[in-house]
Amino acid sequence: MAKANKISMEHGAGGEQMQSLIGNTILKNLTKTSAGTVGLDALDDGASITLLKGMDGFSAEKTELIMTTDSHVVKPIFFPGGDIGRVSVCGAINDLSVMGARPLALSCGMIIPEGFDIIDLEKIVRSMNVVLEEVGVPIITGDTKTVEGSALDSIMINIAGIGICDSPVRDSGLSPGDKIIVTGYIADHGVALLTKREGFEFNSDLESDVAPVWKMIEPALSVRTKDNKKAVSAMKDPTRGGIADSLNEMAQKSKVGIRIYEEKIPIREAVVTSCEMLGLDPLEIANEGKVVMGVHPDFADEILKIIRQHPYGKNAAIIGEVNTEKPGKVILESALGSTRYVDVPTGDPIPRVC
Amino acid sequence: MAKANKISMEHGAGGEQMQSLIGNTILKNLTKTSAGTVGLDALDDGASITLLKGMDGFSAEKTELIMTTDSHVVKPIFFPGGDIGRVSVCGAINDLSVMGARPLALSCGMIIPEGFDIIDLEKIVRSMNVVLEEVGVPIITGDTKTVEGSALDSIMINIAGIGICDSPVRDSGLSPGDKIIVTGYIADHGVALLTKREGFEFNSDLESDVAPVWKMIEPALSVRTKDNKKAVSAMKDPTRGGIADSLNEMAQKSKVGIRIYEEKIPIREAVVTSCEMLGLDPLEIANEGKVVMGVHPDFADEILKIIRQHPYGKNAAIIGEVNTEKPGKVILESALGSTRYVDVPTGDPIPRVC
C-alpha cells in the first residue's frame, strides 16, 4: 500500500496512471482553473484566456489567448536529429499550434546542475534559436536556476507559450464522419532516442522528427465549412503516449469512436523492425513533429493536399475515420480485416524522451 | 581554465556571474527576443506582448500583456511560513505585480522524482490553491514529468504567468528625486529557510514572508502624477540577491544613483542577530513577499499610506531616494553617517531558497 502513495515512472507516462494523478491529486485540490473557454480541467494541450472589454485598457469586444507549458528532461540531451533545446521550443510551439493558435511569445525556465558544460548550454540555446527564427516566435522572458550536481543529473528546460486565435481547436471537437489525418511517419522520435541511448547498431541513421508544426498547420486552419467553422475539428501533437494516447483522448473527450487502418499509417520500415525486436508498439511511441487531426470529410482531401505541400507534412495520410460504434474507443483494423482496441498506454515504453 | 567552462552555483545566484552567463551564453545566441515593449534583453521581471489590431480577430487598437516565468528548487520544500507550492505561485504573481500587471492566468510545470510522496504533492497543490483563491488567479494549464529518483533529489516547479496592464512598470523607470519604498521587513525568507535547513536553535519561530503582493500593490498603481503617469516609477520583488541586487539593477537600468539609510530599513532584530552570527548581509538575502519601489516624491507619503493599509505592507518604509551622484551605484549610509557601496551580490549566500 505504501508504494501506491509514491510517485512512479508511470505517473509521468501520459497514460491512465498520469490521468489519475492529475485528477485526484492536482485537479481535485485546485478551485481556480479557468480564465476562458478552455481551462485546466479540459486537460487539452493548452488553455485559453479570454480578454474582455473593459479589462485594464483593453477595448476589443473579446479575444482568445492560448497558454501552454511543458518541461523537458530528455536523455540524452543531444540525439540524432535534435537536442533538448530544439525539442523544448518545438513542444510549446506545437502545443499552441494544435490548439489552432498562432504562437506569439515563449518563456524559458532552465534548471542547470553545477558542473554542466557551458559549451553545451550554448549549443542548446543556438538550437532553440534556429526554431525561433524558422517560426518567427521570440523567447521574451526567462529564468535560470542552478543546483548542486548531486541534486540533478542533467539540464531541465521548461517552455511556456502564448498564442492567439479567434476560437481554439479542441480535443473534444470530433464528429462522426470526420476523417483522421496523421501528418507523417510515426514513432521516429522515441525510436531514434532509444537507439542512441542504448547504443544499438541497427537504425543508426534514424533521426528524431522534432520540428515546429505551425507553418504546416496554419494554412489548413483557414479551410472553412459552409457554416464558416474550421474544417479541422480537433488536433493533438502525439508526444508522450504516441498516437495511441492522442486518439484515445480525442475519442473520449469527443464521445465518439475512431477506427484507424494499420496499412494506412505512415511508418518507416526501420521503425517497424526496431519495434518488433524490442517488443514496442509504435502507436505508443512519442513523436515531436507530427499532428493527428480530425477533419470534416468534405475537406479531408483538400487539407491533406495542403499539409503535404509543407516539407514536414509530405508523408501525411488519412488513416481512419470517426464513427458512433464504440464511443470513447479507438479500433485498429489490420490489412486482413482483423481488429483490436488501441488501449491508452499505461506506462512509458521509453521514458525521458520528451 | 576548464572550470570556467562549467556551470557553478554562482551562475544561478542572481548576481554578476549570472548576468554574464545570461548575456554571453543565452542572449548572445538568441535573435528573436521581443514581442512588445519589454523584451528578453531588458532582463526585467517579465516581458510584454503587444496585441495589435488585425491580429487574428483582435480588434482593439493595442494592449499589453505581461509574461513571466520562474522555476523553483527550494530546499527544504516545507519550511516555516510556507512551502515550494506557495513560493512558486507567489513568485509568478509577484513578478507580474512588479511589472504593474494584473495577474490573469498561470501555468504549472512540475518535475517529480520517482518515490516522491503523493501526500506531499497534495499538500503542495493545496498550498498553491490558497494563494490562487486569495488573489483570484487560476492555474489554467499544466505539465507533469516524472524522472528516476537517481536523477533528481526533489520536486521542481515552474510557474509561468500572464498579466495585463495599460503600460508596464519598468526597472529602468527611476528618476532623480524619487523616493525608495520597501514594503516590510527584509530577509525573513532566506533566514527562515536557513534556520530550518541547518537546524539552528536560535530564531526557531522566524517564518518566511512568502506572500502574493498584487492586492497590496494594486491600489498604489492608480496614484497618478499631474501628467497622468503612474506615481510608482519602478518596482522589483527582491528575491534571489535580496534588495542589494534589486536596487543595483534599478540604478543601473535607470542610470541613476540610489542612497539608502541603514536605520530606515525595516528588519527584525532576530534577523540582524542571525546575519551577524552567520556572517551574512541581510541586504543580499531573498525575500518572497516584499516589493522595492521607486515613487514620485510628491506621492511618496500617499503611496506609503496605501501600502501600509494592507496586512503585507504594514511595516513598509521609505528607505532612501534616487539621485544623480554615482549613476548605477547604490550607497548605504549608516546611522552615524558613514557610507559604503552596496555591491551586486557575486554569489548566493544561501542557495536553493527560491
Side-chain angles (χ1 to χ4, degrees):
Chain A
M1 281 305 286
K3 199 166 181 298
N5 288 328
K6 301 286 181 186
I7 292 289
S8 68
M9 291 303 286
E10 286 71 28
H11 282 122
E16 268 177 7
Q17 277 197 259
M18 183 165 164
Q19 297 304 320
S20 150
L21 179 75
I22 289 171
N24 297 329
T25 307
I26 301 177
L27 277 184
K28 201 187 75 184
N29 292 305
L30 290 175
T31 48
K32 299 205 83 67
T33 58
S34 173
T37 316
V38 188
L40 185 65
D41 54 353
L43 298 177
D44 210 317
D45 305 281
S48 75
I49 301 166
T50 307
L51 299 180
L52 293 168
K53 195 167 176 167
M55 260 181 166
D56 305 67
F58 183 74
S59 58
E61 280 305 321
K62 181 175 171 260
T63 202
E64 295 268 309
L65 295 171
I66 304 293
M67 183 176 200
T68 185
T69 186
D70 226 332
S71 302
H72 296 270
V73 291
V74 186
K75 195 174 181 178
I77 55 172
F78 297 98
F79 51 82
D83 57 49
I84 191 171
R86 183 173 175 86
V87 87
S88 59
V89 169
C90 288
I93 289 171
N94 294 351
D95 278 343
L96 295 173
S97 302
V98 296
M99 298 284 293
R102 173 187 312 283
L104 289 179
L106 307 179
S107 67
C108 173
M110 296 198 279
I111 307 176
I112 315 174
E114 211 178 354
F116 191 81
D117 199 322
I118 294 180
I119 304 292
D120 283 347
L121 180 60
E122 198 156 4
K123 274 195 224 166
I124 289 167
V125 176
R126 284 188 186 151
S127 174
M128 289 176 167
N129 199 56
V130 170
V131 181
L132 301 178
E133 280 292 341
E134 178 180 334
V135 185
V137 184
I139 286 179
I140 61 168
T141 188
D143 173 62
T144 310
K145 288 276 154 61
T146 54
V147 292
E148 310 83 36
S150 58
L152 178 66
D153 72 343
S154 191
I155 189 169
M156 295 184 172
I157 300 180
N158 175 284
I159 306 276
I162 293 293
I164 190 167
C165 62
D166 49 2
S167 66
V169 176
R170 310 284 303 271
D171 293 346
S172 58
L174 292 181
S175 298
D178 284 356
K179 298 292 182 187
I180 301 292
I181 291 176
V182 64
T183 62
Y185 293 124
I186 64 162
D188 287 359
H189 178 75
V191 175
L193 259 82
L194 186 69
T195 302
K196 165 84 176 176
R197 195 193 298 171
E198 306 298 335
F200 293 138
E201 291 293 316
F202 55 89
N203 280 341
S204 53
D205 51 359
L206 186 69
E207 290 200 334
S208 165
D209 63 341
V210 56
V213 301
W214 171 247
K215 298 273 184 190
M216 170 178 73
I217 293 306
E218 187 185 9
L221 291 172
S222 48
V223 179
R224 302 280 166 153
T225 61
K226 274 163 217 149
D227 49 351
N228 200 33
K229 285 186 178 158
K230 289 189 183 81
V232 174
S233 56
M235 278 198 281
K236 286 198 83 67
D237 63 326
T239 57
R240 279 184 292 179
I243 71 166
D245 200 49
S246 294
L247 289 170
N248 270 289
E249 209 169 331
M250 287 160 98
Q252 284 165 18
K253 290 181 181 171
S254 305
K255 299 181 177 64
V256 296
I258 295 177
R259 179 174 290 247
I260 55 172
Y261 303 93
E262 198 163 25
E263 84 281 9
K264 293 190 176 171
I265 300 170
I267 185 164
R268 292 179 205 278
E269 195 49 46
V271 170
V272 175
T273 313
S274 304
C275 286
E276 280 171 358
M277 286 174 63
L278 300 165
L280 298 171
D281 180 353
L283 301 185
E284 296 190 2
I285 292 178
N287 311 273
E288 286 294 336
K290 297 298 172 338
V291 175
V292 181
M293 49 170 74
V295 293
H296 190 288
D298 297 350
F299 303 90
D301 290 334
E302 182 183 345
I303 287 177
L304 184 66
K305 198 176 154 196
I306 289 171
I307 298 286
R308 282 183 171 167
Q309 276 164 5
H310 193 279
Y312 297 148
K314 63 176 191 281
N315 300 304
I318 297 171
I319 63 164
E321 70 271 324
V322 179
N323 55 45
T324 53
E325 276 175 47
K326 299 269 183 191
K329 294 287 182 186
V330 180
I331 289 169
L332 178 73
E333 188 176 312
S334 76
L336 300 171
S338 68
T339 60
R340 70 163 172 99
Y341 285 122
V342 176
D343 292 323
V344 179
T346 51
D348 208 339
I350 316 171
R352 296 191 72 177
V353 293
C354 57
Chain B
M1 283 305 286
K3 198 163 182 301
N5 287 327
K6 301 287 181 187
I7 292 287
S8 68
M9 291 303 286
E10 286 70 30
H11 282 121
E16 268 177 6
Q17 277 197 260
M18 183 164 167
Q19 297 303 322
S20 150
L21 179 76
I22 289 171
N24 297 329
T25 308
I26 302 177
L27 277 183
K28 201 188 76 187
N29 293 303
L30 290 175
T31 49
K32 299 205 84 66
T33 58
S34 174
T37 315
V38 188
L40 186 65
D41 54 352
L43 299 176
D44 210 318
D45 305 281
S48 76
I49 302 167
T50 306
L51 299 180
L52 294 169
K53 195 167 177 166
M55 262 182 166
D56 305 67
F58 183 76
S59 58
E61 280 305 321
K62 179 175 173 257
T63 203
E64 296 268 308
L65 295 170
I66 305 293
M67 182 175 200
T68 185
T69 186
D70 227 330
S71 302
H72 295 270
V73 291
V74 186
K75 194 176 183 177
I77 55 173
F78 297 98
F79 50 80
D83 57 47
I84 190 171
R86 183 171 175 87
V87 87
S88 58
V89 169
C90 289
I93 289 171
N94 293 352
D95 278 344
L96 295 173
S97 302
V98 296
M99 298 284 292
R102 174 187 310 283
L104 289 179
L106 308 179
S107 67
C108 173
M110 294 197 282
I111 308 175
I112 315 176
E114 213 178 353
F116 191 81
D117 200 321
I118 295 180
I119 305 291
D120 283 347
L121 180 59
E122 201 158 0
K123 274 194 225 165
I124 290 167
V125 176
R126 285 188 186 152
S127 173
M128 289 176 167
N129 198 56
V130 170
V131 181
L132 302 177
E133 280 292 341
E134 178 180 335
V135 186
V137 184
I139 287 178
I140 61 168
T141 188
D143 173 62
T144 311
K145 290 275 154 59
T146 56
V147 293
E148 310 84 33
S150 58
L152 179 65
D153 71 344
S154 191
I155 189 169
M156 295 184 173
I157 300 179
N158 175 284
I159 306 276
I162 293 293
I164 191 167
C165 62
D166 49 2
S167 66
V169 176
R170 310 284 304 271
D171 293 347
S172 58
L174 291 181
S175 298
D178 284 356
K179 297 292 181 186
I180 301 293
I181 291 176
V182 65
T183 62
Y185 292 124
I186 64 162
D188 287 359
H189 178 75
V191 175
L193 260 84
L194 186 69
T195 302
K196 164 86 176 176
R197 194 193 298 169
E198 307 298 335
F200 292 138
E201 291 295 316
F202 54 89
N203 280 343
S204 52
D205 51 359
L206 186 70
E207 292 200 332
S208 165
D209 62 340
V210 56
V213 301
W214 172 246
K215 298 273 186 189
M216 171 178 72
I217 291 306
E218 188 184 8
L221 290 171
S222 47
V223 179
R224 302 280 165 154
T225 61
K226 275 163 216 148
D227 49 350
N228 201 33
K229 286 188 177 154
K230 289 189 183 81
V232 174
S233 56
M235 277 196 283
K236 287 200 82 67
D237 62 328
T239 57
R240 276 185 295 180
I243 71 165
D245 201 48
S246 294
L247 289 170
N248 270 287
E249 210 169 329
M250 288 159 97
Q252 284 164 17
K253 289 180 181 172
S254 305
K255 300 181 176 66
V256 295
I258 295 176
R259 178 175 290 245
I260 55 173
Y261 304 92
E262 197 162 26
E263 83 280 10
K264 294 189 177 172
I265 300 170
I267 184 163
R268 291 178 206 277
E269 194 50 45
V271 170
V272 174
T273 313
S274 304
C275 285
E276 278 172 0
M277 283 174 66
L278 300 165
L280 298 171
D281 181 353
L283 302 184
E284 295 190 3
I285 292 178
N287 310 271
E288 285 294 336
K290 297 298 174 331
V291 174
V292 181
M293 49 170 73
V295 293
H296 190 288
D298 297 349
F299 303 90
D301 290 333
E302 182 183 347
I303 287 178
L304 184 65
K305 198 176 154 197
I306 290 171
I307 298 287
R308 282 182 172 170
Q309 276 165 5
H310 194 280
Y312 297 149
K314 64 176 191 279
N315 300 304
I318 296 173
I319 63 165
E321 70 270 324
V322 179
N323 55 44
T324 53
E325 276 175 48
K326 299 269 183 190
K329 294 287 182 186
V330 180
I331 290 171
L332 178 73
E333 189 176 311
S334 75
L336 299 171
S338 68
T339 60
R340 70 162 173 99
Y341 285 122
V342 176
D343 292 323
V344 179
T346 51
D348 208 339
I350 316 172
R352 298 189 73 177
V353 292
C354 56

